[in-house]
Amino acid sequence: MNKTQRYISCGVMLAAMAYSAAAVAHDKHGGYSAGEPGDPKKPAREIVVSMNEMDYSPAVIEVRRGEQIRFVIRNAGTEAHEFLLATTAENLKHGEAMKKNPDMEHDEPNGLRLAAKKSGEILWKFSKAGTFEYSCLIPTHRELGMTGKVIVK
Ligand SMILES: [Cu+2]
């Protein structure tokens, strides 16, 4: 496998997988399981999330349905980590895909990957009630504790 193939973007990968019956991050209508990308023109509550070896702080976040959150994400760890906002079922499926393609890059409205000591932001509108999660799907990280919960009331 050459470098270009290995670094195939996650979006491309997921689009390909959608054709093979298992739609992962995005449904047929281009939706996301945990809500929708935020609108930068609207107000947002800021929540700082630190990614550590191997967990997140905070590990539980509560939001109101319809609330827009600006996640300011800092990788305080010593290796690369991800923050992928979705349902648990979707993240588990996505995790399986990543075992086959661990270098899959993430830079999408609902998630990103950050190298050690880097920061990034996700602007997200929690338009659906329910319990969602953020997780790091780099192989073994989720199992070692890298999941957090978002409760949308
Ligand atoms: Cu990680």
Side-chain angles (χ1 to χ4, degrees):
M1 207 180 251
N2 69 34
K3 199 169 178 188
T4 314
Q5 285 170 319
R6 285 177 56 221
Y7 286 85
I8 184 168
S9 86
C10 182
V12 170
M13 194 51 202
L14 293 174
M17 288 180 62
Y19 285 109
S20 64
V24 187
H26 318 272
D27 67 24
K28 286 173 203 140
H29 311 287
Y32 294 90
S33 63
E36 58 193 75
D39 178 351
K41 294 188 203 105
K42 299 207 171 128
R45 173 159 65 105
E46 186 177 294
I47 296 178
V48 176
V49 177
S50 176
M51 304 199 290
N52 316 300
E53 306 298 318
M54 290 281 179
D55 62 11
Y56 295 96
S57 48
V60 181
I61 291 168
E62 281 192 20
V63 307
R64 294 185 315 276
R65 185 177 173 193
E67 194 174 14
Q68 183 159 277
I69 303 292
R70 181 184 310 280
F71 289 99
V72 176
I73 302 153
R74 300 194 177 125
N75 184 351
T78 53
E79 53 185 281
H81 292 298
E82 306 182 316
F83 177 95
L84 295 172
L85 206 49
T87 56
T88 298
E90 184 181 293
N91 271 341
L92 287 172
K93 264 188 190 174
H94 192 166
E96 286 304 310
M98 285 200 50
K99 281 182 191 161
K100 296 177 190 113
N101 195 3
D103 295 319
M104 188 187 272
E105 292 288 318
H106 296 108
D107 182 13
E108 293 162 59
N110 67 321
L112 47 70
R113 178 186 288 213
L114 294 172
K117 310 305 171 204
K118 297 287 183 194
S119 300
E121 289 190 0
I122 295 283
L123 185 64
W124 196 256
K125 185 176 176 186
F126 287 94
S127 50
K128 300 173 191 173
T131 300
F132 305 98
E133 66 160 46
Y134 38 98
S135 186
C136 176
L137 301 182
I138 293 172
T140 75
H141 292 201
R142 182 191 170 88
E143 292 77 3
L144 289 169
M146 291 201 77
T147 55
K149 201 190 276 188
V150 185
I151 300 159
V152 185
K153 292 182 173 170

